[in-house]
Structures are given as structure tokens and as C-alpha cells.
Amino acid sequence: MANWRDEVLLEGDFSIPPKIRILFKVTLTPLGIFYSQISTISSQYEEKFVQISDVIGCHCGSANVSPTPRRSDNTASFTVYSYPFRKKLFSGKKTRHRVAVTFETDQFATFEENHIHVLRWKNVINCLSRGIHINPGDVDSCESSPMDRFLILVNPHSGPGRAMQICKGEVEPMLEEACIPFKIIVTEYAGHAHDLIQNLELAEWGAVVIVSGDGLVYEVFNGLMKRADWTTAIKKPVGYIPGGSGNALGCAINYAAGEPVLENPVLHSTFVLIKHRVVPMDLVLVQTPSQQLYSFLSVTWGIVADIDYESEKYRNLGEARFTVGAIKRIVNLRSYSGRLSFLPVAEYVPKSETAPRRLTKVRRFSLRSMSNSLGSIDSIDSRQSRSSSVVLTSARSLESSPLSSDRVHGVSAPGYTNGGGDVQLTINEQSGSDSDTLSSPSKPAQKHSNSVVGGGDGAHWTPAVPRDTATSSPPAAVVDVTSTTEINSNFTQNARTRHSPQSSMHGPLVNGTTPQGGQQQHKTTGQSDFEEETFYADKKDGHAVPTPFLPPLDEPVPDNWVVIEGKFVLACAIYQTHLGSDMLAAPSARLSDGIIHLMFVREGISRNNLFNLFLTFSEGTHIDSPYVEFVPVLAFRLEPHHNSGNIMIDGERLDEVMPVQGQVLPGLARIMAIQ
Ligand SMILES: Nc1ncnc2c1ncn2[C@@H]1O[C@H](COP(=O)(O)OP(=O)(O)OP(=O)(O)O)[C@@H](O)[C@H]1O
């Protein structure tokens, strides 16, 4: 029997074809549909259960299109479509499979009366399956409103060329079961989705859904960001069904939802698409000397980029192309010299350093709309000649480090070990807001942490500004609490209040202007073991996206960045968990953690160790390897010394190897996902 602690919404007797002479007692609660055969003798029948969280939709049968056989001509029916997990017989792996159960009744004299009866069930089930809470008193008034139309973009040439087949054969039938209207547009040329999105009447569509590889996702996000109304356009929910060869975003979405990544990815992605919530997702603004673009996945250099690009010719192998490419590249192992610079979230602890460190600093970045901004920001902004404003809040926490996992809005995220010590970084997620935050304790603050680590190796790339000039340049958007006096000349009236006595957790504000024209607001508090710095930037339609962390590419990075000079086997800036279905590259990444997960391997790893490292990518245990450095950062810069190899942005190759830098835009985009 149903758990009577659940609210009973509807109850009735139905038959379940093909056993049309047997009656079942059916009970609907917010949890699901419980049904068991009505016993005419004393024997007990097993109760069956359709869980609402597995249900994607419910349809009523019409008079002519009811299942056969039917109990009578007056019979009306409803069919529930659900996708529960089932263990595979041999592998034991759990995957979803389709179950359609039809309930029919002829308890009333006419078909019309029976139809009205089943319509009630259909409406309540559809509302529940869409996450709408229904009280017993609402059952009669409950009506499932029509869903907004999805615009589905299909790239017929992605991956092995099966995207259209996938869309027609697997996605369409499930959308129809879920009563979701849609229109399919097949892209006709590279760049078509980008052009289309730039001019699309977005209000006509509930969501833009991509059936393709990661290339079309890149086109859609960049198309949205090129619009004059980009702050609203980028909030259009974007859904994704894997149709290419990489499909990293699909893996990340399914992984975040707790759905299988490898098994039947199209079915699981379509299930997530239908049951989705609109979830914020980080983008990264990437700059090269000639362009600025928006990346949702990664910037890769070294062996990971080489494999991605060089395995293009095996694209008809699907995802297996990466395995073939990896073996080839490991045999012909190359390393690349260059300079990797980054603004770490916490203080950078090199992997070679094994001694534990105390954590003292956390940097966070938050983007918000002007309408959500504090009043003070408007006044700050009015003093600015630039379109973007940046506000820094630095608050000392009373907690002592290291921190364990934290919870914000009921979402917990795993800890994160930075370097060789016992340093824990905790990621907080704030779904649905414009601002996404993270926090991490770090080692004691260094006033000038811009350190060149490792030795030069005969660099051929000549930066516009020599290194020694770079190290003496002032900090940009991030200012250590201890070093604020360095930029006092830029401070406004409020700055002078920062030495006021403090009696509460949040101290006085210190507002300032960064060398890039952004602004800083500085809060300090009493005694603590670590401090938090939060940077706010405001986004405005018709204005450029704020880039408070990025100095011009031909200028040195600020003093509080870390600079590593040397030879690398790989360097990847990653913002999603996966770079491919068998590459759990950044296991601790979250869709909107506000972090760029910077991974690099320096020269010196043997082919054997590198091969073993690649084997551990699928489980994400490579992060424990002594060869892999993993650093959470807010911004990075990559300056290759030679023009050889490849730089890939979201799986697309840059025309040539050149300096690249990027900054996280926390939670800027909206993705259809389940968290
Ligand atoms: N009709 C088309 N003809 C040719 N190219 C297209 C067409 N539509 C889209 N493209 C381009 O195809 C490129 C590759 O597409 P996509 O990324 O979807 O597939 P993939 O490369 O197989 O997948 P992945 O990026 O996951 O490896 C994209 O850069 C996209 O711009």
C-alpha cells in the first residue's frame, strides 16, 4: 500500500491493459502512483509504484486511439511515461529505461464522463512531474499549462554524423511524451547557429536546445554574448543533447545530475532536459591578441590540445578518436615551453611543497546586474568613465582553517586539496542567483605573490613588457588587505574610513578604483585566521563585459598573480567536470562554482607515467598524481614561447599558437540541468 503519511491526491479503480478484466486500486500521491490488484480472494498482491521523479509526462487516450483491447466503447485512459533506473543484467550498471503504463476506466456511463475523470489524473500527474507541488485541495483546479517551445539546433555533420538520427529517433519521441512543443533547425554551415542566435527573437522560445558536439554550444553562447541585450539574452536556458564526438558539456550535465555519463548518454541527457531546472553556469571570457570570446568548457595547450586537434581525422570513430590520438601523442611525447600566470583563489601552494600551510585568504568574484546592485554601486559607477565597475569586499572570517565541506542553500561540495599541504578549498554554490560565490581558505597572505617559479628555457616569445617591469607593476582588481595603501591615491572618500574601530563582523567599507578603471570596496573585520575578498562587477546591456582581472595582453600581470615559467607537457584551464566522456578532468568543478580549474603537468614525466596518468583521467584520480598540479583560479594567462603545437578553446583550434588569457564570469549563462 501507499505510504499513508503521503498526501493522497487521487484514488480510483482502473484496469491496466492487456489485463482488461482485472481491476487495480490506484493511488496518486506527490511521491508517485501506487497500484495493486484488487483481490477477490484473501491473497495479497504486490504493490507497484511509478515514482514521480522518473515520470516525464502523461497523456490521455482519445476515444479512437485508446489501447486495445478496451473494456468497452466508453473506456477512457491515461498513459504515464516514466524512465526509472534498472540494473543491466551482466554489467550491473544502472541505466534508465522506458516504462509506459496505461490506466483505463469505464466506470461512468459515457466516454465523455470517463474522459473528464482521466483528464484530472493527467493534469495532476503532469504538474507533479514538472515539480509543481499540489495539495489535495488543488486537485480539481490544477491544470498543466503548455510548455514554452524549444528551438532545437542540430548539426548534421557533428561527430559521426548521427545528430539528426539521434534527434528524430531518440529525442523527439521523449519530448512528445513530455508534451513539449519544439521546432528543429538543421544548421547549414559552420557559424550558422552563431548567426541565427544573434538575430533570434528570443522571447518566442522557452529554450535553445543543441543536438551536436561542443562546437555548436560554443557558437550559441558566443552568439548570445554578441547581442546588444546580452545580459538578458545570456539568461535564455540552453539545453544540450550529445551528438558530436566530444560532448563534454553533456557529460558534465549528466554527471552533475547524478545520471550515467557513459551509458546511453542521449537518453539520460534527454531525461535531464525534460526534468530540468534552469541552473546558472560559468562562462570564461577569453582574450587573444586579436579577439575576445566566451568559452564554456576549457582552454587547452600541450598534449590534451594536440590529441583533440590531431584526432579530428578519426572523428567517425566517435569518442574513441581521443584514445587513438592519446596513444599516438604519448609515443611521440612533446613538451612546450612557456609562461603560465594565474590569479589563485587561495594562495598557491606548489605540489612539491608537502608541509601543511595555514590558510588566510580567499578570493571570490561575483557578477551582478545593475538592477540587483547595491545603491552605493550606482554612485560609484557614476564616477566612472568606463562601462564596467568592480567592487571588492574583503571580510575577515572568524572561523579558523582548514575548513571542511560547507553547505549553502542545501548544496554541499567536496573539499579541494590545494598543493601538497592539508589545505582545503570549499566551493559554495548559489543556484539561481546572478552571483555565484566560492570560498577557500589559503596560506598566509603574501604582499607580493607575483613569483616566477621555475627557470627560463631560451624563450622565443617576447612579451611586450619585460618580466622585471612586470613584477613591479601595481595590483589590478585584487588588493591584499595588507597592501591597500599602495592604491590609496585612487581611493574615494570612503577609503579613509577603513581604519575606523570595528565592532561587528562587517567593518567599514573602503572603496577604490583599480588601475583598470574598475572600483573596489573593501570591508575588514576583527580578529581572524583568514580573510575573504569578494570582487563585484556589474553587467549592463549595451556595455562591454567587465574584465576587472585582465590587464591588456601586452602588459604584465599584476603583482598578486603567480607566474610559472618553464616547460609543460600540458596546461588546461577547465570549468566543467568533463573534457570528454572518459575524461573526468576537474572532478570538483561545479556548473557555477565561479572557478577556473587550472591543471598543468610540467616536463619530466615519463611516457609510462603519462600513459598511466591518462588511464586515471576517466575516474578523475589524476588529480592525486604527483605530476599534476591543480589550482583553482579566477583568471589565467598562457604565453607559449614557441609557435608550435595547438591551443584549443572549447575544442576549437586557435589559428596559431599565441598568448591567451581568461577570466571567469560566474554563473553568467543558464543551462538546463539538475543539481
Ligand atoms: N551544417 C554544417 N556544416 C558544416 N559545419 C558545421 C555545420 N553546422 C555546424 N558546423 C560546425 O561543425 C563544427 C563541429 O561541430 P560539433 O562540435 O558539433 O561536432 P564535433 O566536432 O564532432 O563534436 P565535438 O566538438 O564534441 O568533438 C562546429 O565548429 C560547427 O561550427
Side-chain angles (χ1 to χ4, degrees), residues 230-231 365-382 384 386-392 434-435 517-521 535-548 663 665-666 668:
W230 64 269
T231 64
F365 179 44
S366 186
L367 263 182
R368 58 191 182 186
S369 335
M370 278 310 282
S371 55
N372 294 341
S373 303
L374 302 171
S376 61
I377 293 173
D378 288 331
S379 58
I380 291 167
D381 208 46
S382 65
Q384 291 301 303
R386 288 247 190 146
S387 63
S388 64
S389 68
V390 181
V391 179
L392 164 66
D434 272 333
S435 309
Q519 297 173 338
Q520 302 156 345
Q521 187 181 56
F535 308 89
Y536 295 103
D538 295 315
K539 47 184 181 169
K540 281 180 271 185
D541 274 345
H543 291 262
V545 179
T547 56
Q663 165 209 292
L665 301 170
L668 186 64

Short mmCIF file of all heavy atoms in Angstrom, two decimals, residues 230-231 365-382 384 386-392 434-435 517-521 535-548 663 665-666 668:
data_model
loop_
_atom_site.label_atom_id
_atom_site.label_comp_id
_atom_site.label_asym_id
_atom_site.label_seq_id
_atom_site.Cartn_x
_atom_site.Cartn_y
_atom_site.Cartn_z
N TRP A 230 22.82 41.45 -24.28
CA TRP A 230 23.50 40.24 -23.83
C TRP A 230 23.18 39.86 -22.38
O TRP A 230 23.15 38.68 -22.04
CB TRP A 230 25.01 40.33 -24.06
CG TRP A 230 25.72 41.40 -23.28
CD1 TRP A 230 25.96 42.67 -23.68
CD2 TRP A 230 26.28 41.28 -21.97
NE1 TRP A 230 26.64 43.36 -22.71
CE2 TRP A 230 26.86 42.53 -21.64
CE3 TRP A 230 26.38 40.25 -21.04
CZ2 TRP A 230 27.51 42.78 -20.45
CZ3 TRP A 230 27.02 40.50 -19.83
CH2 TRP A 230 27.58 41.75 -19.54
N THR A 231 22.93 40.85 -21.52
CA THR A 231 22.71 40.47 -20.12
C THR A 231 21.43 39.67 -19.95
O THR A 231 21.34 38.80 -19.10
CB THR A 231 22.68 41.69 -19.16
OG1 THR A 231 21.57 42.50 -19.50
CG2 THR A 231 23.95 42.50 -19.20
N PHE A 365 34.63 36.10 -6.85
CA PHE A 365 34.22 37.09 -7.86
C PHE A 365 32.74 36.90 -8.13
O PHE A 365 32.26 35.77 -8.20
CB PHE A 365 35.03 36.89 -9.14
CG PHE A 365 34.67 37.84 -10.25
CD1 PHE A 365 34.47 39.19 -10.00
CD2 PHE A 365 34.53 37.38 -11.55
CE1 PHE A 365 34.14 40.07 -11.02
CE2 PHE A 365 34.20 38.25 -12.58
CZ PHE A 365 34.01 39.59 -12.31
N SER A 366 32.03 37.97 -8.27
CA SER A 366 30.60 37.89 -8.46
C SER A 366 30.15 38.92 -9.49
O SER A 366 30.56 40.07 -9.43
CB SER A 366 29.93 38.15 -7.10
OG SER A 366 28.57 37.94 -7.20
N LEU A 367 29.35 38.47 -10.44
CA LEU A 367 28.81 39.37 -11.47
C LEU A 367 27.36 39.64 -11.13
O LEU A 367 26.63 38.72 -10.82
CB LEU A 367 28.82 38.66 -12.82
CG LEU A 367 29.95 38.90 -13.78
CD1 LEU A 367 29.71 38.13 -15.05
CD2 LEU A 367 30.14 40.37 -14.09
N ARG A 368 26.94 40.85 -11.21
CA ARG A 368 25.53 41.11 -10.93
C ARG A 368 24.99 42.16 -11.88
O ARG A 368 25.73 42.97 -12.44
CB ARG A 368 25.35 41.53 -9.47
CG ARG A 368 26.14 42.74 -9.10
CD ARG A 368 26.13 42.96 -7.60
NE ARG A 368 26.87 44.16 -7.29
CZ ARG A 368 27.12 44.56 -6.05
NH1 ARG A 368 26.70 43.85 -5.03
NH2 ARG A 368 27.79 45.65 -5.84
N SER A 369 23.66 42.11 -12.02
CA SER A 369 23.02 43.09 -12.90
C SER A 369 22.91 44.40 -12.15
O SER A 369 22.84 44.40 -10.92
CB SER A 369 21.60 42.66 -13.27
OG SER A 369 21.46 41.31 -13.19
N MET A 370 22.83 45.48 -12.89
CA MET A 370 22.72 46.77 -12.22
C MET A 370 21.47 46.83 -11.36
O MET A 370 21.45 47.40 -10.30
CB MET A 370 22.69 47.90 -13.24
CG MET A 370 24.08 48.29 -13.70
SD MET A 370 25.23 48.59 -12.34
CE MET A 370 24.70 50.23 -11.85
N SER A 371 20.40 46.16 -11.81
CA SER A 371 19.15 46.20 -11.05
C SER A 371 19.30 45.51 -9.71
O SER A 371 18.58 45.80 -8.78
CB SER A 371 18.03 45.55 -11.84
OG SER A 371 18.44 44.24 -12.19
N ASN A 372 20.25 44.56 -9.62
CA ASN A 372 20.45 43.85 -8.36
C ASN A 372 21.50 44.50 -7.49
O ASN A 372 21.80 44.04 -6.40
CB ASN A 372 20.91 42.41 -8.64
CG ASN A 372 19.83 41.63 -9.32
OD1 ASN A 372 18.68 42.01 -9.26
ND2 ASN A 372 20.22 40.54 -9.96
N SER A 373 22.13 45.54 -8.00
CA SER A 373 23.28 46.09 -7.31
C SER A 373 22.88 46.90 -6.08
O SER A 373 21.75 47.35 -5.96
CB SER A 373 24.06 47.01 -8.24
OG SER A 373 24.42 46.30 -9.39
N LEU A 374 23.84 47.07 -5.22
CA LEU A 374 23.62 47.93 -4.07
C LEU A 374 23.54 49.37 -4.55
O LEU A 374 24.17 49.75 -5.54
CB LEU A 374 24.81 47.80 -3.11
CG LEU A 374 25.10 46.40 -2.59
CD1 LEU A 374 26.41 46.40 -1.84
CD2 LEU A 374 23.97 45.95 -1.68
N GLY A 375 22.79 50.19 -3.80
CA GLY A 375 22.67 51.59 -4.18
C GLY A 375 24.01 52.26 -4.32
O GLY A 375 24.25 53.06 -5.19
N SER A 376 24.93 51.87 -3.45
CA SER A 376 26.23 52.51 -3.46
C SER A 376 26.96 52.27 -4.77
O SER A 376 27.77 53.08 -5.19
CB SER A 376 27.08 51.98 -2.30
OG SER A 376 27.25 50.59 -2.45
N ILE A 377 26.64 51.18 -5.41
CA ILE A 377 27.34 50.89 -6.65
C ILE A 377 26.97 51.90 -7.72
O ILE A 377 27.79 52.34 -8.49
CB ILE A 377 27.04 49.46 -7.10
CG1 ILE A 377 27.67 48.53 -6.09
CG2 ILE A 377 27.62 49.19 -8.47
CD1 ILE A 377 27.33 47.12 -6.30
N ASP A 378 25.70 52.26 -7.75
CA ASP A 378 25.29 53.27 -8.72
C ASP A 378 26.10 54.54 -8.54
O ASP A 378 26.56 55.13 -9.49
CB ASP A 378 23.80 53.58 -8.57
CG ASP A 378 22.96 52.42 -9.08
OD1 ASP A 378 23.44 51.71 -9.99
OD2 ASP A 378 21.88 52.22 -8.57
N SER A 379 26.27 54.92 -7.27
CA SER A 379 27.00 56.16 -7.06
C SER A 379 28.47 55.99 -7.43
O SER A 379 29.08 56.88 -7.99
CB SER A 379 26.86 56.61 -5.61
OG SER A 379 27.34 55.60 -4.75
N ILE A 380 29.00 54.81 -7.14
CA ILE A 380 30.38 54.56 -7.54
C ILE A 380 30.49 54.63 -9.05
O ILE A 380 31.35 55.27 -9.61
CB ILE A 380 30.83 53.16 -7.06
CG1 ILE A 380 30.96 53.14 -5.56
CG2 ILE A 380 32.16 52.77 -7.71
CD1 ILE A 380 31.09 51.75 -4.99
N ASP A 381 29.49 53.99 -9.70
CA ASP A 381 29.55 53.87 -11.13
C ASP A 381 29.48 55.23 -11.81
O ASP A 381 30.08 55.43 -12.85
CB ASP A 381 28.41 52.97 -11.61
CG ASP A 381 28.77 52.27 -12.87
OD1 ASP A 381 29.89 51.75 -12.93
OD2 ASP A 381 27.95 52.27 -13.80
N SER A 382 28.72 56.13 -11.22
CA SER A 382 28.57 57.43 -11.86
C SER A 382 29.89 58.19 -11.91
O SER A 382 30.06 59.12 -12.67
CB SER A 382 27.52 58.25 -11.10
OG SER A 382 28.01 58.51 -9.81
N GLN A 384 32.60 56.78 -12.79
CA GLN A 384 33.50 56.06 -13.69
C GLN A 384 33.33 56.46 -15.14
O GLN A 384 32.23 56.66 -15.63
CB GLN A 384 33.21 54.54 -13.59
CG GLN A 384 33.61 53.95 -12.27
CD GLN A 384 35.10 54.15 -12.03
OE1 GLN A 384 35.92 53.73 -12.83
NE2 GLN A 384 35.43 54.78 -10.93
N ARG A 386 34.60 54.37 -17.39
CA ARG A 386 34.48 53.07 -18.05
C ARG A 386 33.09 52.50 -17.85
O ARG A 386 32.38 52.85 -16.91
CB ARG A 386 35.49 52.10 -17.43
CG ARG A 386 36.90 52.43 -17.86
CD ARG A 386 37.40 51.35 -18.72
NE ARG A 386 38.81 51.49 -18.95
CZ ARG A 386 39.60 50.45 -19.07
NH1 ARG A 386 39.13 49.25 -18.89
NH2 ARG A 386 40.85 50.62 -19.35
N SER A 387 32.75 51.54 -18.69
CA SER A 387 31.42 50.94 -18.59
C SER A 387 31.32 49.96 -17.45
O SER A 387 30.26 49.69 -16.93
CB SER A 387 31.09 50.22 -19.88
OG SER A 387 32.00 49.17 -20.07
N SER A 388 32.41 49.38 -17.04
CA SER A 388 32.32 48.34 -16.02
C SER A 388 32.78 48.87 -14.67
O SER A 388 33.60 49.77 -14.58
CB SER A 388 33.21 47.17 -16.40
OG SER A 388 34.54 47.58 -16.42
N SER A 389 32.20 48.32 -13.64
CA SER A 389 32.65 48.69 -12.31
C SER A 389 32.96 47.43 -11.53
O SER A 389 32.36 46.40 -11.73
CB SER A 389 31.60 49.50 -11.59
OG SER A 389 30.48 48.71 -11.31
N VAL A 390 33.90 47.53 -10.66
CA VAL A 390 34.31 46.39 -9.86
C VAL A 390 34.29 46.80 -8.41
O VAL A 390 34.73 47.88 -8.07
CB VAL A 390 35.74 45.96 -10.22
CG1 VAL A 390 36.15 44.76 -9.40
CG2 VAL A 390 35.84 45.66 -11.68
N VAL A 391 33.76 45.97 -7.59
CA VAL A 391 33.71 46.28 -6.17
C VAL A 391 34.38 45.16 -5.42
O VAL A 391 34.11 43.99 -5.65
CB VAL A 391 32.24 46.40 -5.70
CG1 VAL A 391 32.20 46.70 -4.22
CG2 VAL A 391 31.55 47.49 -6.48
N LEU A 392 35.25 45.50 -4.55
CA LEU A 392 35.93 44.50 -3.75
C LEU A 392 35.42 44.56 -2.33
O LEU A 392 35.36 45.61 -1.73
CB LEU A 392 37.43 44.77 -3.77
CG LEU A 392 38.27 44.07 -2.70
CD1 LEU A 392 38.26 42.57 -2.94
CD2 LEU A 392 39.68 44.59 -2.72
N ASP A 434 22.27 35.73 -9.67
CA ASP A 434 23.23 36.28 -10.61
C ASP A 434 24.64 36.09 -10.10
O ASP A 434 25.59 36.05 -10.83
CB ASP A 434 22.98 37.77 -10.80
CG ASP A 434 21.97 37.99 -11.90
OD1 ASP A 434 21.87 37.15 -12.79
OD2 ASP A 434 21.31 39.01 -11.85
N SER A 435 24.76 35.99 -8.79
CA SER A 435 26.08 35.93 -8.21
C SER A 435 26.36 34.53 -7.73
O SER A 435 25.56 33.93 -7.06
CB SER A 435 26.14 36.87 -7.01
OG SER A 435 25.68 38.13 -7.38
N GLY A 517 40.47 50.73 -14.07
CA GLY A 517 39.28 51.58 -14.13
C GLY A 517 38.10 50.98 -13.41
O GLY A 517 37.03 51.55 -13.39
N GLY A 518 38.28 49.81 -12.80
CA GLY A 518 37.22 49.24 -12.00
C GLY A 518 37.22 49.89 -10.64
O GLY A 518 37.95 50.84 -10.38
N GLN A 519 36.37 49.41 -9.76
CA GLN A 519 36.30 50.01 -8.44
C GLN A 519 36.36 48.93 -7.38
O GLN A 519 35.98 47.80 -7.61
CB GLN A 519 35.00 50.81 -8.29
CG GLN A 519 34.98 51.95 -9.26
CD GLN A 519 33.66 52.65 -9.26
OE1 GLN A 519 32.65 52.09 -8.86
NE2 GLN A 519 33.66 53.88 -9.70
N GLN A 520 36.80 49.34 -6.22
CA GLN A 520 36.96 48.38 -5.14
C GLN A 520 36.21 48.86 -3.91
O GLN A 520 36.20 50.04 -3.60
CB GLN A 520 38.44 48.24 -4.78
CG GLN A 520 39.27 47.80 -5.95
CD GLN A 520 40.70 48.22 -5.79
OE1 GLN A 520 41.02 49.04 -4.95
NE2 GLN A 520 41.54 47.65 -6.61
N GLN A 521 35.61 47.92 -3.26
CA GLN A 521 35.00 48.22 -1.98
C GLN A 521 35.63 47.25 -1.00
O GLN A 521 35.68 46.05 -1.25
CB GLN A 521 33.49 48.00 -2.05
CG GLN A 521 32.77 48.45 -0.81
CD GLN A 521 31.30 48.17 -0.98
OE1 GLN A 521 30.90 47.05 -1.23
NE2 GLN A 521 30.49 49.20 -0.85
N PHE A 535 35.00 40.29 -5.12
CA PHE A 535 35.02 41.32 -6.15
C PHE A 535 33.69 41.30 -6.86
O PHE A 535 33.23 40.24 -7.26
CB PHE A 535 36.13 41.04 -7.17
CG PHE A 535 37.44 40.82 -6.52
CD1 PHE A 535 37.82 39.54 -6.13
CD2 PHE A 535 38.28 41.87 -6.27
CE1 PHE A 535 39.03 39.34 -5.50
CE2 PHE A 535 39.48 41.67 -5.64
CZ PHE A 535 39.86 40.40 -5.25
N TYR A 536 33.06 42.42 -6.97
CA TYR A 536 31.81 42.51 -7.70
C TYR A 536 32.03 43.31 -8.96
O TYR A 536 32.73 44.32 -8.94
CB TYR A 536 30.74 43.21 -6.86
CG TYR A 536 30.36 42.44 -5.62
CD1 TYR A 536 30.83 42.84 -4.38
CD2 TYR A 536 29.54 41.33 -5.70
CE1 TYR A 536 30.49 42.14 -3.24
CE2 TYR A 536 29.19 40.62 -4.57
CZ TYR A 536 29.66 41.03 -3.33
OH TYR A 536 29.32 40.35 -2.22
N ALA A 537 31.43 42.83 -10.06
CA ALA A 537 31.43 43.63 -11.28
C ALA A 537 29.99 43.68 -11.77
O ALA A 537 29.24 42.73 -11.59
CB ALA A 537 32.33 43.00 -12.32
N ASP A 538 29.63 44.77 -12.35
CA ASP A 538 28.25 44.96 -12.82
C ASP A 538 28.17 44.76 -14.31
O ASP A 538 29.03 45.21 -15.06
CB ASP A 538 27.75 46.35 -12.45
CG ASP A 538 27.68 46.48 -10.94
OD1 ASP A 538 27.17 45.55 -10.30
OD2 ASP A 538 28.16 47.50 -10.42
N LYS A 539 27.09 44.10 -14.71
CA LYS A 539 26.88 43.88 -16.15
C LYS A 539 25.74 44.75 -16.61
O LYS A 539 24.73 44.89 -15.90
CB LYS A 539 26.61 42.41 -16.43
CG LYS A 539 25.60 41.79 -15.52
CD LYS A 539 25.43 40.32 -15.77
CE LYS A 539 24.38 39.77 -14.82
NZ LYS A 539 23.92 38.47 -15.09
N LYS A 540 25.90 45.30 -17.79
CA LYS A 540 24.88 46.20 -18.32
C LYS A 540 24.73 45.96 -19.81
O LYS A 540 25.74 45.88 -20.53
CB LYS A 540 25.30 47.67 -18.11
CG LYS A 540 25.06 48.18 -16.71
CD LYS A 540 25.49 49.63 -16.58
CE LYS A 540 26.95 49.73 -16.20
NZ LYS A 540 27.42 51.08 -15.94
N ASP A 541 23.48 45.87 -20.25
CA ASP A 541 23.23 45.75 -21.69
C ASP A 541 23.86 46.92 -22.43
O ASP A 541 23.87 48.05 -21.92
CB ASP A 541 21.72 45.75 -21.97
CG ASP A 541 21.14 44.35 -21.86
OD1 ASP A 541 21.92 43.39 -21.86
OD2 ASP A 541 19.91 44.24 -21.78
N GLY A 542 24.37 46.63 -23.60
CA GLY A 542 24.94 47.70 -24.42
C GLY A 542 26.34 48.10 -24.00
O GLY A 542 26.96 48.93 -24.64
N HIS A 543 26.84 47.51 -22.90
CA HIS A 543 28.19 47.81 -22.44
C HIS A 543 29.04 46.55 -22.54
O HIS A 543 28.52 45.45 -22.60
CB HIS A 543 28.17 48.28 -20.98
CG HIS A 543 27.53 49.62 -20.81
ND1 HIS A 543 28.25 50.79 -20.72
CD2 HIS A 543 26.23 49.98 -20.75
CE1 HIS A 543 27.41 51.81 -20.59
NE2 HIS A 543 26.19 51.34 -20.60
N ALA A 544 30.34 46.76 -22.51
CA ALA A 544 31.24 45.62 -22.59
C ALA A 544 31.13 44.77 -21.32
O ALA A 544 30.76 45.27 -20.26
CB ALA A 544 32.67 46.12 -22.75
N VAL A 545 31.46 43.51 -21.47
CA VAL A 545 31.50 42.62 -20.31
C VAL A 545 32.67 43.08 -19.43
O VAL A 545 33.77 43.30 -19.94
CB VAL A 545 31.72 41.16 -20.76
CG1 VAL A 545 31.81 40.23 -19.58
CG2 VAL A 545 30.62 40.74 -21.71
N PRO A 546 32.46 43.25 -18.13
CA PRO A 546 33.56 43.74 -17.29
C PRO A 546 34.70 42.71 -17.19
O PRO A 546 34.45 41.53 -16.99
CB PRO A 546 32.91 43.97 -15.92
CG PRO A 546 31.63 43.21 -15.95
CD PRO A 546 31.21 43.06 -17.37
N THR A 547 35.91 43.20 -17.36
CA THR A 547 37.08 42.31 -17.29
C THR A 547 38.05 42.84 -16.23
O THR A 547 39.20 43.18 -16.55
CB THR A 547 37.79 42.22 -18.66
OG1 THR A 547 38.13 43.56 -19.06
CG2 THR A 547 36.93 41.58 -19.70
N PRO A 548 37.62 42.90 -14.99
CA PRO A 548 38.44 43.55 -13.97
C PRO A 548 39.78 42.88 -13.72
O PRO A 548 40.72 43.54 -13.29
CB PRO A 548 37.56 43.49 -12.72
CG PRO A 548 36.62 42.36 -12.96
CD PRO A 548 36.36 42.36 -14.43
N GLN A 663 39.25 35.08 -17.88
CA GLN A 663 38.72 35.44 -16.56
C GLN A 663 37.33 34.82 -16.41
O GLN A 663 36.54 34.81 -17.36
CB GLN A 663 38.63 36.96 -16.47
CG GLN A 663 37.79 37.46 -15.34
CD GLN A 663 37.16 38.80 -15.64
OE1 GLN A 663 37.86 39.80 -15.73
NE2 GLN A 663 35.85 38.84 -15.79
N LEU A 665 33.49 34.31 -15.52
CA LEU A 665 32.26 35.11 -15.42
C LEU A 665 31.25 34.23 -14.68
O LEU A 665 30.51 33.46 -15.28
CB LEU A 665 31.74 35.47 -16.82
CG LEU A 665 32.71 36.27 -17.70
CD1 LEU A 665 32.20 36.36 -19.13
CD2 LEU A 665 32.94 37.67 -17.13
N PRO A 666 31.23 34.32 -13.35
CA PRO A 666 30.49 33.33 -12.56
C PRO A 666 29.00 33.33 -12.85
O PRO A 666 28.36 34.38 -12.87
CB PRO A 666 30.74 33.78 -11.11
CG PRO A 666 31.92 34.67 -11.17
CD PRO A 666 31.88 35.33 -12.51
N LEU A 668 27.12 33.21 -15.33
CA LEU A 668 26.55 34.16 -16.29
C LEU A 668 25.49 33.51 -17.19
O LEU A 668 24.46 34.09 -17.46
CB LEU A 668 27.66 34.76 -17.16
CG LEU A 668 27.23 35.87 -18.10
CD1 LEU A 668 26.73 37.07 -17.32
CD2 LEU A 668 28.38 36.29 -19.01
#
